[in-house]
């Protein structure tokens, strides 16, 4: 059924989800990790994006991902406290920013972890810490992954598990326990 020359929303959403298959999703995750790693580790002084969200990731015609909107980004100054007003998008902001207001690279690491879950789930995970604790130690991947896609093939599943493991590391409550984006990117390209 068509409505004024357009495919109804549920059909178009499913069609878009299928075009954005597992391999494209894991490639997007690696592209974004590489971009954030670059601004954290290869630029002097390092740049903290402060608003890593799915809305700030652009895709080209070949589904190559680019991080955009550096409007609230900050350069980390080594001889400064790097205090800042709270900025970013609710649901992606690292929990420590609510009580410290100190911006570090680990804030972007946390936001990246949320984006990884969102990409793999096909939706925002909601309250991230409650979501993770509800999973427990043992969970089935198919319970988490986007239901609009067929279950991943064996080789895709390994890549997805790697992405999921990295995401959980990025979402650790303590910023000191989170990996750097360089480590995240290295873990994703193994």
């Amino acid at each position: 059924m068509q409505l004024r020359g357009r495919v109804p929303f549920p059909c178009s959403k499913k069609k878009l989800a299928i075009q954005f298959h597992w391999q494209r999703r894991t490639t997007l995750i690696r592209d974004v990790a590489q971009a954030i790693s670059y601004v954290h580790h290869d630029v002097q002084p390092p740049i903290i994006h402060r608003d890593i969200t799915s809305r700030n990731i652009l895709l080209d015609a070949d589904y190559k991902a680019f991080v955009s909107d550096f409007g609230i980004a900050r350069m980390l100054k080594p001889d400064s406290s790097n205090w800042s007003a709270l900025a970013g998008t609710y649901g992606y902001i690292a929990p420590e920013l609510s009580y410290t207001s100190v911006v570090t690279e680990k804030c972007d690491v946390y936001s990246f972890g949320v984006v990884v879950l969102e990409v793999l789930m096909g939706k925002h995970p909601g309250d991230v810490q409650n979501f993770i604790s509800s999973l427990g130690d043992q969970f089935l991947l198919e319970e988490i992954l986007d239901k609009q896609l067929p279950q991943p093939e064996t080789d895709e599943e390994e890549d997805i598990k790697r992405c999921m493991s990295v995401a959980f590391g990025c979402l650790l409550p303590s910023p000191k326990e989170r990996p750097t984006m360089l480590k995240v990117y290295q873990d994703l390209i193994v």
Side-chain angles (χ1 to χ4, degrees):
M1 176 180 166
Q2 288 193 342
L3 184 64
R4 295 186 187 178
R6 295 182 182 171
V7 179
F9 178 75
C11 296
S12 63
K13 184 177 179 184
K14 175 127 175 129
K15 184 177 177 182
L16 287 173
I18 290 170
Q19 289 175 353
F20 196 44
H21 52 72
W22 295 121
Q23 184 181 2
R24 286 184 175 156
R25 291 177 192 220
T26 56
T27 299
L28 172 141
I29 290 166
R30 282 189 293 279
D31 289 348
V32 173
Q34 182 180 25
I36 301 169
S37 177
Y38 175 78
V39 298
H40 283 191
H41 301 283
D42 297 331
V43 173
Q44 289 304 321
I47 298 171
I48 307 305
H49 189 281
R50 300 196 321 154
D51 199 21
I52 301 294
T53 68
S54 55
R55 290 185 178 185
N56 288 335
I57 298 170
L58 303 178
L59 299 176
D60 69 9
D62 297 320
Y63 291 90
K64 173 107 175 104
F66 298 89
V67 176
S68 69
D69 193 358
F70 283 77
I72 62 171
R74 291 287 180 262
M75 291 186 187
L76 273 190
K77 298 174 184 150
D79 48 350
S80 172
S81 66
N82 294 302
W83 281 75
S84 177
L86 185 62
T89 302
Y90 180 75
Y92 297 88
I93 298 172
E96 66 271 13
L97 284 177
S98 65
Y99 57 87
T100 66
S101 298
V102 177
V103 177
T104 70
E105 294 102 330
K106 301 298 179 95
C107 298
D108 283 353
V109 172
Y110 184 89
S111 299
F112 174 76
V114 177
V115 168
V116 172
L117 287 183
E118 186 174 6
V119 167
L120 296 177
M121 294 172 66
K123 62 182 180 181
H124 191 280
D127 183 335
V128 175
Q129 295 306 315
N130 283 340
F131 170 75
I132 291 172
S133 63
S134 74
L135 292 175
D137 291 336
Q138 300 293 322
F139 62 90
L140 298 173
L141 203 54
E142 56 267 8
E143 293 173 356
I144 298 172
L145 298 180
D146 190 344
K147 309 278 188 279
Q148 298 179 86
L149 293 181
Q151 289 301 306
E153 301 293 326
T154 305
D155 57 330
E156 293 171 327
E157 188 173 319
E158 289 306 312
D159 206 11
I160 291 167
K161 284 180 181 178
R162 186 178 308 111
C163 291
M164 192 69 74
S165 175
V166 164
F168 290 149
C170 292
L171 296 169
L172 290 170
S174 169
K176 291 178 182 177
E177 294 178 19
R178 293 181 208 141
T180 65
M181 281 308 298
L182 180 59
K183 172 90 169 93
V184 165
Y185 179 60
Q186 290 169 341
D187 289 350
L188 288 171
I189 61 172
V190 172

Short mmCIF file of all heavy atoms in Angstrom, two decimals, residues 54-80:
data_model
loop_
_atom_site.label_atom_id
_atom_site.label_comp_id
_atom_site.label_asym_id
_atom_site.label_seq_id
_atom_site.Cartn_x
_atom_site.Cartn_y
_atom_site.Cartn_z
N SER A 54 24.31 9.23 18.05
CA SER A 54 23.99 8.73 16.72
C SER A 54 23.61 9.87 15.77
O SER A 54 23.82 9.78 14.57
CB SER A 54 22.87 7.69 16.79
OG SER A 54 21.75 8.24 17.45
N ARG A 55 23.08 10.95 16.32
CA ARG A 55 22.71 12.10 15.47
C ARG A 55 23.91 12.87 14.96
O ARG A 55 23.79 13.65 14.02
CB ARG A 55 21.79 13.05 16.23
CG ARG A 55 20.43 12.45 16.46
CD ARG A 55 19.51 13.43 17.10
NE ARG A 55 18.22 12.79 17.25
CZ ARG A 55 17.16 13.40 17.69
NH1 ARG A 55 17.21 14.66 18.03
NH2 ARG A 55 16.02 12.76 17.81
N ASN A 56 25.06 12.67 15.59
CA ASN A 56 26.27 13.37 15.17
C ASN A 56 27.22 12.46 14.40
O ASN A 56 28.42 12.69 14.35
CB ASN A 56 26.98 13.99 16.38
CG ASN A 56 26.22 15.18 16.91
OD1 ASN A 56 25.47 15.83 16.18
ND2 ASN A 56 26.39 15.46 18.18
N ILE A 57 26.65 11.42 13.80
CA ILE A 57 27.40 10.54 12.93
C ILE A 57 26.76 10.62 11.55
O ILE A 57 25.57 10.35 11.40
CB ILE A 57 27.39 9.09 13.44
CG1 ILE A 57 28.07 9.03 14.81
CG2 ILE A 57 28.08 8.16 12.45
CD1 ILE A 57 27.92 7.71 15.52
N LEU A 58 27.55 11.02 10.58
CA LEU A 58 27.07 11.13 9.21
C LEU A 58 27.56 9.96 8.39
O LEU A 58 28.70 9.49 8.59
CB LEU A 58 27.58 12.44 8.59
CG LEU A 58 27.23 13.73 9.32
CD1 LEU A 58 27.85 14.93 8.61
CD2 LEU A 58 25.73 13.89 9.43
N LEU A 59 26.73 9.49 7.47
CA LEU A 59 27.10 8.39 6.58
C LEU A 59 27.15 8.91 5.16
O LEU A 59 26.24 9.63 4.72
CB LEU A 59 26.08 7.26 6.66
CG LEU A 59 25.91 6.58 8.01
CD1 LEU A 59 24.79 5.55 7.95
CD2 LEU A 59 27.21 5.93 8.44
N ASP A 60 28.18 8.52 4.40
CA ASP A 60 28.21 8.88 2.99
C ASP A 60 27.45 7.81 2.20
O ASP A 60 26.86 6.88 2.78
CB ASP A 60 29.64 9.11 2.49
CG ASP A 60 30.49 7.85 2.43
OD1 ASP A 60 29.96 6.72 2.59
OD2 ASP A 60 31.71 7.99 2.19
N ALA A 61 27.47 7.91 0.88
CA ALA A 61 26.71 6.99 0.02
C ALA A 61 27.17 5.54 0.17
O ALA A 61 26.41 4.62 -0.08
CB ALA A 61 26.81 7.43 -1.43
N ASP A 62 28.42 5.35 0.59
CA ASP A 62 28.96 4.00 0.79
C ASP A 62 28.89 3.55 2.25
O ASP A 62 29.54 2.59 2.63
CB ASP A 62 30.42 3.95 0.31
CG ASP A 62 30.54 4.24 -1.18
OD1 ASP A 62 29.68 3.75 -1.95
OD2 ASP A 62 31.48 4.96 -1.55
N TYR A 63 28.13 4.28 3.05
CA TYR A 63 27.94 3.98 4.47
C TYR A 63 29.22 4.18 5.30
O TYR A 63 29.35 3.62 6.38
CB TYR A 63 27.37 2.57 4.70
CG TYR A 63 25.94 2.45 4.23
CD1 TYR A 63 25.65 2.07 2.93
CD2 TYR A 63 24.89 2.71 5.08
CE1 TYR A 63 24.34 1.97 2.49
CE2 TYR A 63 23.57 2.60 4.67
CZ TYR A 63 23.31 2.24 3.36
OH TYR A 63 22.02 2.13 2.93
N LYS A 64 30.15 4.96 4.82
CA LYS A 64 31.34 5.32 5.61
C LYS A 64 30.88 6.36 6.62
O LYS A 64 30.18 7.30 6.28
CB LYS A 64 32.42 5.91 4.70
CG LYS A 64 33.61 6.47 5.45
CD LYS A 64 34.81 5.60 5.33
CE LYS A 64 36.01 6.24 6.00
NZ LYS A 64 36.32 5.64 7.27
N ALA A 65 31.27 6.16 7.88
CA ALA A 65 30.81 7.03 8.97
C ALA A 65 31.82 8.15 9.24
O ALA A 65 33.03 7.94 9.20
CB ALA A 65 30.60 6.21 10.23
N PHE A 66 31.28 9.32 9.56
CA PHE A 66 32.06 10.50 9.92
C PHE A 66 31.43 11.14 11.15
O PHE A 66 30.21 11.28 11.21
CB PHE A 66 32.08 11.52 8.77
CG PHE A 66 32.70 10.97 7.51
CD1 PHE A 66 31.94 10.30 6.57
CD2 PHE A 66 34.06 11.13 7.28
CE1 PHE A 66 32.51 9.80 5.41
CE2 PHE A 66 34.65 10.64 6.14
CZ PHE A 66 33.87 9.96 5.20
N VAL A 67 32.28 11.53 12.10
CA VAL A 67 31.79 12.22 13.28
C VAL A 67 31.63 13.69 12.94
O VAL A 67 32.53 14.30 12.35
CB VAL A 67 32.75 12.03 14.47
CG1 VAL A 67 32.29 12.82 15.69
CG2 VAL A 67 32.88 10.55 14.82
N SER A 68 30.49 14.27 13.30
CA SER A 68 30.22 15.68 12.96
C SER A 68 29.88 16.47 14.21
O SER A 68 29.83 15.93 15.32
CB SER A 68 29.05 15.75 11.97
OG SER A 68 27.84 15.36 12.62
N ASP A 69 29.62 17.73 14.02
CA ASP A 69 29.16 18.68 15.04
C ASP A 69 30.10 18.78 16.23
O ASP A 69 29.85 18.25 17.31
CB ASP A 69 27.75 18.33 15.52
CG ASP A 69 27.13 19.48 16.32
OD1 ASP A 69 27.82 20.50 16.52
OD2 ASP A 69 25.98 19.34 16.75
N PHE A 70 31.18 19.50 15.99
CA PHE A 70 32.16 19.76 17.05
C PHE A 70 31.85 21.08 17.75
O PHE A 70 32.74 21.69 18.34
CB PHE A 70 33.58 19.76 16.47
CG PHE A 70 34.11 18.38 16.20
CD1 PHE A 70 33.70 17.66 15.08
CD2 PHE A 70 34.99 17.79 17.08
CE1 PHE A 70 34.19 16.39 14.83
CE2 PHE A 70 35.48 16.51 16.85
CZ PHE A 70 35.07 15.81 15.72
N GLY A 71 30.61 21.51 17.71
CA GLY A 71 30.22 22.81 18.26
C GLY A 71 30.46 22.99 19.74
O GLY A 71 30.72 24.08 20.20
N ILE A 72 30.38 21.91 20.53
CA ILE A 72 30.64 22.05 21.96
C ILE A 72 31.93 21.35 22.37
O ILE A 72 32.19 21.14 23.55
CB ILE A 72 29.45 21.54 22.81
CG1 ILE A 72 29.19 20.06 22.58
CG2 ILE A 72 28.21 22.38 22.56
CD1 ILE A 72 28.18 19.47 23.55
N ALA A 73 32.75 20.99 21.38
CA ALA A 73 34.01 20.31 21.66
C ALA A 73 34.94 21.22 22.46
O ALA A 73 34.83 22.45 22.42
CB ALA A 73 34.68 19.89 20.36
N ARG A 74 35.85 20.61 23.18
CA ARG A 74 36.84 21.34 23.97
C ARG A 74 38.21 20.73 23.73
O ARG A 74 38.35 19.52 23.60
CB ARG A 74 36.54 21.24 25.48
CG ARG A 74 35.32 21.96 25.92
CD ARG A 74 35.53 23.48 25.92
NE ARG A 74 34.35 24.17 26.35
CZ ARG A 74 33.46 24.72 25.54
NH1 ARG A 74 33.61 24.65 24.25
NH2 ARG A 74 32.41 25.34 26.03
N MET A 75 39.22 21.60 23.71
CA MET A 75 40.59 21.12 23.66
C MET A 75 41.04 20.89 25.10
O MET A 75 40.81 21.73 25.97
CB MET A 75 41.50 22.15 22.99
CG MET A 75 41.23 22.29 21.54
SD MET A 75 42.46 23.37 20.81
CE MET A 75 41.78 23.53 19.18
N LEU A 76 41.65 19.73 25.33
CA LEU A 76 42.16 19.45 26.67
C LEU A 76 43.47 20.19 26.86
O LEU A 76 44.38 20.06 26.06
CB LEU A 76 42.41 17.95 26.84
CG LEU A 76 41.26 17.09 27.29
CD1 LEU A 76 41.75 15.70 27.65
CD2 LEU A 76 40.52 17.68 28.46
N LYS A 77 43.54 20.94 27.90
CA LYS A 77 44.75 21.69 28.19
C LYS A 77 45.48 20.98 29.33
O LYS A 77 44.92 20.84 30.42
CB LYS A 77 44.41 23.13 28.55
CG LYS A 77 43.73 23.83 27.39
CD LYS A 77 43.24 25.21 27.77
CE LYS A 77 42.50 25.77 26.56
NZ LYS A 77 41.46 26.68 26.92
N PRO A 78 46.72 20.53 29.09
CA PRO A 78 47.41 19.73 30.10
C PRO A 78 47.65 20.46 31.42
O PRO A 78 47.71 19.83 32.46
CB PRO A 78 48.74 19.37 29.43
CG PRO A 78 48.83 20.19 28.20
CD PRO A 78 47.47 20.72 27.89
N ASP A 79 47.77 21.77 31.41
CA ASP A 79 48.04 22.51 32.64
C ASP A 79 46.78 23.21 33.15
O ASP A 79 46.85 24.26 33.76
CB ASP A 79 49.17 23.52 32.42
CG ASP A 79 48.97 24.33 31.15
OD1 ASP A 79 48.09 24.00 30.36
OD2 ASP A 79 49.73 25.30 30.95
N SER A 80 45.62 22.60 32.91
CA SER A 80 44.35 23.19 33.33
C SER A 80 43.50 22.10 33.98
O SER A 80 43.71 20.92 33.77
CB SER A 80 43.62 23.77 32.11
OG SER A 80 42.33 24.18 32.46
#
